[in-house]
Amino acid sequence: MGTENIPASLIHFASADKLINLGRANSLWPLTFGIACCAIEMMATGCARFDLARFGAEVFRPSPRQSDVMIVAGTVNKKMAPGIKTLYDQMPEPKWVIALGNCAISGGPFVFEGQYNIIEGADKFLPVDIYIPGCPPRPEALIEGIIELEYKITGWRRWPKVVAE
């Protein structure tokens, strides 16, 4: 029995890269890592109410060598930055970074004239892929950020964007 009777629309071939990226996007393993109050929202996102498991990202790994997503959740100061960079360097390739909250994006309310300790954004020392604003951002915002990261990895969006009317 050959394939001559099967309509062409039912047969799809994908390159190995597309399949591998699809697997990566649907099994993101974030690093268990939180610095400040945004980490509480990150933990809430992993709970049953928000069901992060449906996106394949519920496995928060305890080691940077087992994870591929770093969620910088909180205020980054100059003393903490080398440790965060070390954790990032220990993650295997490919790896992605999500800046969660205003403090991780721009220093938040702690940036003022004369301050010397707060780093004004994780992108000053890490290559940030996704920015999620808020103080602190809701768990739904982190889920949307994970969906955007999936889109960045695969090139297509599994869930449609909801547009407010």
Side-chain angles (χ1 to χ4, degrees):
M1 182 168 183
T3 60
E4 59 275 339
N5 295 332
I6 298 174
S9 62
L10 294 178
I11 299 175
H12 297 282
F13 294 100
S15 66
D17 288 340
K18 286 184 179 180
L19 286 174
I20 291 168
N21 286 337
L22 183 65
R24 287 177 180 152
N26 291 312
S27 63
L28 295 171
W29 288 3
L31 179 62
T32 304
F33 173 73
I35 305 171
C37 47
C38 287
I40 303 297
E41 298 297 321
M42 182 179 67
M43 288 182 259
T45 308
C47 294
R49 180 176 178 194
F50 298 101
D51 191 24
L52 195 58
R54 64 190 151 150
F55 303 104
E58 82 279 6
V59 184
F60 281 85
R61 303 309 302 167
S63 168
R65 291 175 180 89
Q66 299 172 345
S67 60
D68 54 5
V69 178
M70 175 183 273
I71 302 173
V72 180
T75 311
V76 180
N77 57 39
K78 290 182 180 174
K79 187 175 184 179
M80 190 76 163
I84 296 171
K85 181 73 170 128
T86 300
L87 289 174
Y88 176 79
D89 291 340
Q90 290 175 349
M91 292 169 59
E93 292 286 341
K95 53 191 169 186
W96 301 277
V97 177
I98 296 175
L100 180 65
N102 292 344
C103 292
I105 293 172
S106 64
F110 304 106
V111 175
F112 55 88
E113 188 177 341
Q115 72 87 16
Y116 58 90
N117 196 36
I118 302 301
I119 295 178
E120 297 179 17
D123 56 359
K124 302 289 187 215
F125 65 98
L126 292 176
V128 176
D129 297 293
I130 303 293
Y131 296 91
I132 304 172
C135 187
R138 298 266 313 142
E140 293 92 342
L142 179 55
I143 290 173
E144 178 65 25
I146 289 173
I147 292 171
E148 285 297 318
L149 183 58
E150 289 176 357
Y151 173 73
K152 185 173 184 171
I153 296 168
T154 62
W156 60 276
R157 189 175 169 96
R158 143 169 71 155
W159 304 93
K161 282 191 176 190
V162 177
V163 179
E165 294 180 12

